[in-house]
Amino acid sequence: MKIKQAGFTLVEMVTVIIIIGILSAVVLPRFTGSDSFEAYPFRAQLISALRLTQQRAMQQTNSADTYCHQLVIAGDRYGVVNRVSANCATETNLAALDPDLSGHIVESRYDIEFSVKNKSNPSVISFDSMGRPGDDCSGGCEILIRQTDINESLSIEIESEGYIHAI
Protein backbone atom coordinates (compact mmCIF):
# COMPACT_ATOMS: atom_id res chain seq x y z
CA MET A 1 0.00 0.00 0.00
CA LYS A 2 1.40 3.38 -1.05
CA ILE A 3 0.79 6.38 1.22
CA LYS A 4 0.41 9.67 -0.62
CA GLN A 5 2.01 12.57 1.26
CA ALA A 6 0.61 16.08 0.87
CA GLY A 7 2.23 19.36 1.85
CA PHE A 8 3.87 22.54 0.67
CA THR A 9 7.20 22.78 -1.06
CA LEU A 10 9.96 24.95 0.28
CA VAL A 11 9.50 27.46 -2.57
CA GLU A 12 5.81 27.87 -1.76
CA MET A 13 6.55 28.42 1.94
CA VAL A 14 9.23 31.06 1.23
CA THR A 15 6.91 32.87 -1.21
CA VAL A 16 4.12 33.06 1.35
CA ILE A 17 6.49 34.33 4.05
CA ILE A 18 7.80 37.06 1.72
CA ILE A 19 4.26 38.17 0.81
CA ILE A 20 3.23 38.29 4.48
CA GLY A 21 6.36 40.32 5.29
CA ILE A 22 5.63 42.86 2.57
CA LEU A 23 2.02 43.23 3.67
CA SER A 24 2.93 43.69 7.32
CA ALA A 25 5.60 46.31 6.55
CA VAL A 26 3.75 48.40 3.94
CA VAL A 27 0.01 47.83 3.87
CA LEU A 28 -1.05 47.08 7.44
CA PRO A 29 0.29 50.31 9.05
CA ARG A 30 -1.94 52.31 6.70
CA PHE A 31 -5.03 50.65 8.19
CA THR A 32 -3.99 51.12 11.83
CA GLY A 33 -3.76 54.93 11.76
CA SER A 34 -1.26 57.53 10.75
CA ASP A 35 2.32 56.62 10.09
CA SER A 36 5.54 58.40 9.32
CA PHE A 37 4.81 58.55 5.59
CA GLU A 38 2.29 61.40 5.98
CA ALA A 39 4.84 64.13 6.67
CA TYR A 40 6.77 63.59 3.42
CA PRO A 41 4.16 65.02 1.00
CA PHE A 42 3.80 68.11 3.20
CA ARG A 43 7.56 68.63 3.10
CA ALA A 44 7.56 68.33 -0.70
CA GLN A 45 4.69 70.85 -0.98
CA LEU A 46 6.43 73.33 1.30
CA ILE A 47 9.69 73.03 -0.66
CA SER A 48 7.73 73.76 -3.84
CA ALA A 49 6.07 76.82 -2.25
CA LEU A 50 9.43 78.12 -1.04
CA ARG A 51 11.05 77.67 -4.44
CA LEU A 52 8.10 79.33 -6.20
CA THR A 53 8.27 82.32 -3.86
CA GLN A 54 12.03 82.52 -4.38
CA GLN A 55 11.69 82.40 -8.18
CA ARG A 56 9.03 85.12 -8.16
CA ALA A 57 11.32 87.35 -6.10
CA MET A 58 14.19 86.79 -8.54
CA GLN A 59 12.05 87.46 -11.63
CA GLN A 60 10.23 90.61 -10.52
CA THR A 61 13.07 93.07 -10.06
CA ASN A 62 11.54 96.18 -11.67
CA SER A 63 12.85 99.10 -9.63
CA ALA A 64 9.67 101.15 -10.24
CA ASP A 65 7.57 98.77 -8.11
CA THR A 66 8.28 97.15 -4.78
CA TYR A 67 7.22 93.53 -4.87
CA CYS A 68 6.63 91.55 -1.71
CA HIS A 69 7.27 87.83 -1.92
CA GLN A 70 6.90 86.23 1.48
CA LEU A 71 5.95 82.85 2.85
CA VAL A 72 4.25 82.91 6.26
CA ILE A 73 4.50 79.77 8.41
CA ALA A 74 2.08 79.44 11.30
CA GLY A 75 1.43 76.16 13.07
CA ASP A 76 -0.83 74.01 10.91
CA ARG A 77 -0.63 76.22 7.81
CA TYR A 78 1.53 78.27 5.56
CA GLY A 79 0.63 80.88 3.00
CA VAL A 80 2.24 83.04 0.35
CA VAL A 81 2.14 86.82 0.15
CA ASN A 82 2.71 88.17 -3.36
CA ARG A 83 1.79 91.80 -3.82
CA VAL A 84 3.02 95.13 -5.12
CA SER A 85 3.35 97.55 -2.24
CA ALA A 86 5.34 100.63 -1.33
CA ASN A 87 5.69 99.14 2.13
CA CYS A 88 6.68 95.49 2.23
CA ALA A 89 5.44 95.04 5.79
CA THR A 90 5.14 91.51 7.02
CA GLU A 91 1.63 90.06 6.69
CA THR A 92 1.15 87.48 9.43
CA ASN A 93 -2.64 87.23 9.27
CA LEU A 94 -3.05 84.06 7.24
CA ALA A 95 -6.77 84.66 6.80
CA ALA A 96 -5.89 87.79 4.77
CA LEU A 97 -3.55 85.98 2.39
CA ASP A 98 -4.49 85.59 -1.24
CA PRO A 99 -5.64 82.11 -2.16
CA ASP A 100 -2.65 80.72 -3.97
CA LEU A 101 -1.65 77.27 -5.16
CA SER A 102 1.46 77.58 -3.01
CA GLY A 103 -0.45 78.09 0.25
CA HIS A 104 -1.76 75.20 2.28
CA ILE A 105 -3.86 74.49 5.37
CA VAL A 106 -3.34 71.01 6.83
CA GLU A 107 -6.42 69.12 7.97
CA SER A 108 -6.38 68.38 11.70
CA ARG A 109 -6.52 64.63 11.15
CA TYR A 110 -2.90 64.67 9.92
CA ASP A 111 -1.48 66.27 13.11
CA ILE A 112 1.18 68.20 11.16
CA GLU A 113 2.83 71.38 12.47
CA PHE A 114 5.16 73.76 10.65
CA SER A 115 7.73 75.98 12.37
CA VAL A 116 11.04 77.71 11.77
CA LYS A 117 13.64 76.32 14.15
CA ASN A 118 14.37 78.65 17.09
CA LYS A 119 11.72 81.16 15.93
CA SER A 120 8.18 81.76 17.16
CA ASN A 121 5.10 81.29 14.98
CA PRO A 122 4.08 82.94 12.78
CA SER A 123 7.42 83.16 10.99
CA VAL A 124 8.00 85.01 7.74
CA ILE A 125 10.43 83.99 5.03
CA SER A 126 11.11 86.40 2.21
CA PHE A 127 13.63 86.43 -0.61
CA ASP A 128 15.61 89.23 -2.23
CA SER A 129 16.21 89.65 -5.97
CA MET A 130 19.21 87.30 -5.74
CA GLY A 131 17.10 84.52 -4.16
CA ARG A 132 18.67 84.87 -0.70
CA PRO A 133 16.39 84.51 2.33
CA GLY A 134 15.50 87.43 4.56
CA ASP A 135 13.28 88.17 7.58
CA ASP A 136 13.14 85.18 9.98
CA CYS A 137 15.47 83.20 7.70
CA SER A 138 18.22 85.74 7.00
CA GLY A 139 21.54 83.96 7.03
CA GLY A 140 19.83 80.59 6.50
CA CYS A 141 17.44 78.57 8.63
CA GLU A 142 15.79 75.21 9.18
CA ILE A 143 12.05 74.65 8.80
CA LEU A 144 10.55 71.77 10.79
CA ILE A 145 7.57 69.71 9.70
CA ARG A 146 6.49 67.76 12.77
CA GLN A 147 3.95 64.99 12.90
CA THR A 148 2.71 65.38 16.46
CA ASP A 149 0.88 62.07 16.92
CA ILE A 150 4.07 60.04 16.42
CA ASN A 151 6.53 62.82 17.36
CA GLU A 152 8.53 62.61 14.14
CA SER A 153 10.11 65.59 12.42
CA LEU A 154 11.32 66.27 8.91
CA SER A 155 13.38 69.30 7.99
CA ILE A 156 13.93 71.74 5.16
CA GLU A 157 17.14 73.74 5.06
CA ILE A 158 17.39 77.16 3.44
CA GLU A 159 21.06 78.02 3.02
CA SER A 160 22.27 81.61 3.40
CA GLU A 161 22.75 81.88 -0.40
CA GLY A 162 19.23 80.59 -1.13
CA TYR A 163 19.64 76.86 -1.79
CA ILE A 164 16.50 75.07 -0.54
CA HIS A 165 16.67 71.33 0.20
CA ALA A 166 15.31 68.58 2.40
CA ILE A 167 17.52 67.24 5.18
Side-chain angles (χ1 to χ4, degrees):
M1 192 166 15
K2 208 173 188 185
I3 299 175
K4 187 173 181 181
Q5 294 183 346
F8 297 105
T9 66
L10 182 60
V11 173
E12 292 170 333
M13 293 293 285
V14 169
T15 304
V16 169
I17 291 171
I18 290 173
I19 291 171
I20 290 173
I22 290 171
L23 288 175
S24 65
V26 177
V27 176
L28 292 180
R30 297 196 186 265
F31 293 112
T32 60
S34 65
D35 58 12
S36 63
F37 294 114
E38 289 177 349
Y40 288 92
F42 294 112
R43 180 176 68 180
Q45 288 174 342
L46 184 52
I47 288 173
S48 296
L50 285 164
R51 289 181 179 159
L52 177 63
T53 304
Q54 181 184 43
Q55 288 176 353
R56 286 177 176 168
M58 292 181 346
Q59 290 173 351
Q60 295 177 334
T61 58
N62 184 355
S63 61
D65 295 318
T66 302
Y67 292 95
C68 296
H69 301 285
Q70 301 168 334
L71 190 122
V72 181
I73 296 175
D76 67 339
R77 63 189 69 203
Y78 59 88
V80 175
V81 178
N82 291 306
R83 65 180 181 271
V84 178
S85 173
N87 180 2
C88 212
T90 301
E91 176 64 68
T92 58
N93 179 8
L94 287 179
L97 297 179
D98 287 337
D100 191 308
L101 291 176
S102 53
H104 193 72
I105 298 174
V106 179
E107 294 178 23
S108 60
R109 66 185 171 110
Y110 292 113
D111 294 318
I112 299 287
E113 290 180 357
F114 302 100
S115 64
V116 176
K117 190 173 186 177
N118 301 325
K119 304 285 183 187
S120 62
N121 277 341
S123 296
V124 176
I125 301 168
S126 65
F127 294 94
D128 65 13
S129 62
M130 298 294 288
R132 294 179 297 228
D135 292 328
D136 287 343
C137 243
S138 61
C141 67
E142 184 177 349
I143 300 171
L144 302 174
I145 300 103
R146 191 166 76 88
Q147 192 167 347
T148 56
D149 60 342
I150 61 171
N151 201 22
E152 181 178 326
S153 292
L154 298 175
S155 298
I156 298 170
E157 181 79 25
I158 303 176
E159 304 289 340
S160 60
E161 290 301 314
Y163 180 62
I164 302 168
H165 60 96
I167 54 173

